[in-house]
Amino acid sequence: ASVGPYPFVVCPHPVARRDTLASWQSAAQVRLEVARSVASAKERFGPWLDVDDALYIGHSQGGMLAPEALGHSEAIRFRYAIFFEGLPSNGPMAKRQMLSAKVERALFFSGQSGWAPAHLQFANSFRGTDLTARHVHETRGHFFCAAIYARLRSELPWVVSGSSRWEPALLAL
């Protein structure tokens, strides 16, 4: 989403407790938390909030559940998506969900060699559709680190290419 000329990301995350890991229970829970976060941002930023030009970044389970969550979100339209180290198990269904959500660009980013073939195959499955996708691989593991952040930052202009809000903000960085 963006406020004025500057984009920002609403980033809900499940809360870890002593008895559970920080994990989502379902795509429905992701949708609910995104809707709550967007509603809170709308209260705070009102008419300056543009919910039709949003970027979703899903890591691990956040990538696995993303297509279903994005496909049913009424609060916000995610035109762009980055999946880091996570993909849904049902590729054909996830592809339909992302296309129906009108995601325009998606980057499938693997940090472990085990994820690379699946990310590449899923990215290639969008050839000939309205969604432009690509895969990149950075052999740094499953979690975020300086090299992963640097690579994501270098790929972000491709992901949001064509956005009248995101591109000027990225040039200012």
Side-chain angles (χ1 to χ4, degrees):
S2 53
V3 174
Y6 302 104
F8 73 96
V9 176
V10 174
C11 186
H13 190 277
V15 177
R17 300 185 318 228
R18 271 193 251 179
D19 59 336
T20 64
L21 294 173
S23 62
W24 297 105
Q25 301 303 310
S26 65
Q29 182 191 19
V30 175
R31 281 193 309 274
L32 177 64
E33 292 304 321
V34 166
R36 286 179 181 167
S37 297
V38 170
S40 176
K42 281 182 179 179
E43 273 183 37
R44 186 167 182 192
F45 299 107
W48 297 282
L49 182 67
D50 179 357
V51 295
D52 293 320
D53 198 22
L55 165 66
Y56 178 92
I57 301 176
H59 171 250
S60 195
Q61 190 184 23
M64 292 175 190
L65 297 173
E68 185 179 346
L70 301 179
H72 294 93
S73 179
E74 295 174 14
I76 192 166
R77 176 171 174 234
F78 291 102
R79 291 178 63 194
Y80 318 104
I82 297 174
F83 293 72
F84 175 57
E85 281 294 289
L87 286 176
S89 59
N90 186 334
M93 180 186 297
K95 178 180 173 182
R96 286 191 302 276
Q97 290 166 330
M98 289 179 67
L99 291 171
S100 86
K102 297 186 176 19
V103 176
E104 294 176 14
R105 284 187 175 253
L107 178 69
F108 300 98
F109 192 110
S110 54
Q112 300 177 91
S113 34
W115 277 110
H119 278 148
L120 178 60
Q121 181 181 11
F122 196 51
N124 288 340
S125 77
F126 289 98
R127 287 185 182 153
T129 71
D130 291 334
L131 191 156
T132 303
R134 78 182 204 194
H135 167 253
V136 297
H137 182 67
E138 181 72 39
T139 56
R140 302 293 179 162
H142 183 72
F143 298 101
F144 289 95
C145 67
I148 297 291
Y149 284 119
R151 184 68 186 266
L152 281 171
R153 185 174 179 175
S154 75
E155 297 291 340
L156 194 54
W158 176 86
V159 175
V160 297
S161 176
S163 169
S164 61
R165 294 193 181 264
W166 284 91
E167 283 186 335
L170 290 176
L171 291 173
L173 291 177

